[in-house]
Every structure is written in structure tokens, then in C-alpha cells.
Amino acid sequence: TGTDTLKLHTFTFVNKGEKPLVVLRAVSSCGCTQPTHTMEPVMPGDSGKVTVGYRGEGQRTRYFRKSVTVYTNDPRSYVRIFIKGELTDQ
């Protein structure tokens, strides 16, 4: 990943529960990581998405590992997902 680019990754999930799953919010570990998520309820058996964008602009060239905490209406409260890569000058 070059320092002047925005890279995106989409995590897809399936609601294996018996009730609609609602993503309440997705919170990143830093300002260089921007998450977006499915806004409508995900019905049982259907899939939803969390997309994470990483912007290298202004960051040091190095290996990175960033987390996004996804909060839902599931009783387990939250799930943490990670992106990782190496930021280069290219």
C-alpha cells in the first residue's frame, strides 16, 4: 500500500441467528481507518457487509495492523476485525 492511496477491504458476514441482526456501529482504532457497514437489519440467512478503508497519507512507512470493533444487537455485544499490511513509499 502506498502512502497516498486509500485501500478498501469488505468483510462479508452471514446472520446465522434466528432474529434480524442489526449493526449498531463500527468503531476504528485510529483516524486513518474508516469503517462503513450495512445499515438495514440483516435477516436470518442473509448477509451483510463491513467495509474498512485505510488511508496511508501522513502515516510512516511500516507494517500496520488496525482494528475495527463492530457492535450489534447480538447478546455477545461485539466482534473485533483486523486489517493489516505494509505501507511503502511506492
Side-chain angles (χ1 to χ4, degrees):
T1 299
T3 57
D4 61 346
T5 61
L6 172 67
K7 295 295 183 182
L8 300 173
H9 181 78
T10 299
F11 296 86
T12 302
F13 61 90
V14 175
N15 179 359
K16 294 189 176 184
E18 297 177 1
K19 297 179 181 178
L21 180 68
V22 178
V23 178
L24 302 172
R25 67 186 187 278
V27 180
S28 66
S29 60
C30 75
C32 59
T33 309
Q34 300 97 25
T36 59
H37 58 81
T38 299
M39 299 301 288
E40 61 275 357
V42 179
M43 302 310 287
D46 288 347
S47 61
K49 296 179 181 181
V50 176
T51 300
V52 180
Y54 178 79
R55 185 170 301 284
E57 186 176 330
Q59 302 295 317
R60 294 188 326 216
T61 57
R62 62 182 166 99
Y63 171 83
F64 65 88
R65 181 175 184 260
K66 304 294 180 180
S67 67
V68 172
T69 305
V70 180
Y71 296 91
T72 70
N73 63 330
D74 185 292
R76 289 172 281 197
S77 183
Y78 68 89
V79 172
R80 189 163 288 132
I81 56 178
F82 296 90
I83 60 167
K84 63 181 179 177
E86 186 170 350
L87 190 62
T88 64
D89 287 329
Q90 299 175 354

